[in-house]
Amino acid sequence: MTDPTPFDLGPQTRIVAELAAGVTDEQLADPTPCPKMAVRNLLGHLVGLSVAFRDAGRKALGPTTDTAPDTAVPDIGPGWREELPKALDELADAWRDPAAWTGMTRAGGVDLPGDLAGVIAADELLIHAWDLARATGRPYEPDPAALRSAYGFLLAAAEETVRDGSLFGPVVTVPQDAPLLDRAVGLSGRDPGWRPGR
């Protein structure tokens, strides 16, 4: 599916943290490219997935790794500005341990190989950072290693015969000579040209 070679998720988690730090309180109710999610819900999702994939990397299986991501619309709590960067740092640290990329683990209630879980974590961080940047009008340059990994994962997922919308929406066609990020975004079911109000 994609190169399972372990890589450092830290550069991408720092990008997510920087984007989140720039969100103003006035932007929390703004729309995002994620249907049914305002900025505050997207940030809540980022908090939850960071904790879940941190624990998946640690093989600390339990409620955080057993809950499906679509159980409820996520939201932020009053301490999200401290919680999110802390969870992102811990996620990156967990996946710096080579053991995180071996054996089996669990995320979103699904048992899966550690190397695949690491790739999915990179994909989540990459695409949702794009969502956040677009929703808040910020520039976004992803970590190249995370981008390559996520693109390979999304390309393989796009070849599945059934895409029921639970994980990805229908592929949005993007020119083959488009930037790799735009192609990854299209494979995730998003329009690379999305802007608020479009």
Side-chain angles (χ1 to χ4, degrees), residues 15-38:
I15 290 167
V16 176
E18 289 169 6
L19 286 168
V23 175
T24 66
D25 289 346
E26 292 74 23
Q27 291 174 315
L28 292 176
D30 288 351
T32 74
C34 302
K36 302 179 184 177
M37 276 198 194

Side-chain angles (χ1 to χ4, degrees), residues 111 136 169 186:
D111 293 323
T136 58

